[in-house]
Amino acid sequence: GESVGLHLPTLSVQEGDNSIINCAYSNSASDYFIWYKQESGKGPQFIIDIRSNMDKRQGQRVTVLLNKTVKHLSLQIAATQPGDSAVYFCAENISGGTSYGKLTFGQGTILTVHP
Amino acid sequence: GAVVSQHPSRVICKSGTSVKIECRSLDFQATTMFWYRQFPKQSLMLMATSNEGSKATYEQGVEKDKFLINHASLTLSTLTVTSAHPEDSSFYICSARDQWQGRGYTFGSGTRLTVV
């Protein structure tokens, strides 16, 4: 289950289980959202994105859900594999004004997949 | 796909010296690049937005005279940490936007800076 560590919350799952990682974003004006995977010592890797005119988008083994009413984003990973172990971040973007193009990252969640 | 090359991947420097980190977009032109800093077990914090041919825009609390950013071409942005101190030790990551792909962001592999 989820727990809050020193800085980042953690999620531990068994291989083959489905994982759900949650994110609360901060700005109601954000209209584009991205999930990233970051492995130790590396830069973030794009997983999936969604625009604010959608509430669900599916990729290969991943699904992103967006609830604008409560400013909540989730990433679902199906049949989680040990290679999915990493830190997962959500990021939000505002398409206009002075914040154009800036990505603001969420807190992040450490996902550990046990064989 | 879009590739961003960041160098060096690791650097150790003495306190008081300056360190330059390079971020290159290899197969696309990047009108805008972003520099982030990440402390252990924490999220990425945006330091500044670098626009080709103009001055960088720094986030609140980031010293522009300490973190010098230059974006002289559409494929290269550099971050120079001047007069580095141990508290500047961190993981620095750049990101570039492909001007033809709208909101597409590609990240470099990061630079681990250790100031001793």
Side-chain angles (χ1 to χ4, degrees):
Chain A
E2 290 188 356
S3 64
V4 177
L6 184 62
H7 295 289
L8 301 178
T10 61
L11 175 64
S12 293
V13 300
Q14 290 295 127
E15 182 178 2
D17 287 351
N18 295 332
S19 302
I20 299 177
I21 300 171
N22 297 301
C23 176
Y25 64 92
S26 58
N27 195 329
S28 57
S30 294
D31 57 4
Y32 179 56
F33 305 88
I34 311 172
W35 277 101
Y36 287 96
K37 173 186 180 183
Q38 186 181 28
E39 297 175 301
S40 181
K42 297 183 179 180
Q45 176 186 354
F46 174 91
I47 301 173
I48 192 168
D49 60 359
I50 188 168
R51 300 186 188 278
S52 59
N53 61 352
M54 304 172 69
D55 53 21
K56 179 178 180 179
R57 190 161 188 232
Q58 290 184 291
Q60 188 176 15
R61 280 203 308 122
V62 294
T63 300
V64 54
L65 299 178
L66 174 63
N67 185 330
K68 296 182 290 292
T69 302
V70 295
K71 294 190 290 186
H72 183 268
L73 202 62
S74 70
L75 175 70
Q76 301 177 3
I77 305 174
T80 316
Q81 303 166 1
D84 294 327
S85 295
V87 181
Y88 289 81
F89 293 98
C90 66
E92 58 186 294
N93 172 232
I94 302 172
S95 61
T98 57
S99 298
Y100 179 67
K102 291 166 54 172
L103 279 183
T104 301
F105 280 78
Q107 182 182 19
T109 296
I110 300 172
L111 175 66
T112 303
V113 183
H114 300 284
Chain B
V3 177
V4 170
S5 175
Q6 186 174 341
H7 291 283
S9 58
R10 290 179 176 271
V11 58
I12 301 173
C13 71
K14 291 186 177 180
S15 187
T17 62
S18 296
V19 173
K20 180 185 285 188
I21 303 170
E22 291 189 349
C23 182
R24 294 180 184 273
S25 56
L26 297 186
D27 50 3
F28 66 100
Q29 293 183 324
T31 52
T32 305
M33 292 186 176
F34 303 90
W35 287 95
Y36 294 83
R37 180 167 53 184
Q38 184 179 33
F39 292 108
K41 297 191 181 299
Q42 294 189 25
S43 187
L44 285 76
M45 296 300 296
L46 180 66
M47 299 174 66
T49 301
S50 168
N51 295 298
E52 186 267 336
S54 63
K55 291 184 179 180
T57 303
Y58 290 82
E59 295 299 301
Q60 191 173 8
V62 178
E63 299 175 59
K64 62 180 181 181
D65 294 331
K66 181 169 186 60
F67 299 100
L68 301 179
I69 292 172
N70 183 280
H71 193 157
S73 76
L74 283 171
T75 59
L76 174 64
S77 176
T78 60
L79 168 68
T80 301
V81 182
T82 63
S83 187
H85 292 285
E87 56 265 32
D88 298 324
S89 298
S90 188
F91 193 55
Y92 292 87
I93 309 170
C94 69
S95 171
R97 294 187 63 208
D98 185 337
Q99 64 176 346
W100 302 114
Q101 289 194 6
R103 307 194 210 194
Y105 300 88
T106 303
F107 284 81
S109 54
T111 298
R112 173 72 60 193
L113 170 64
T114 303
V115 184
V116 298

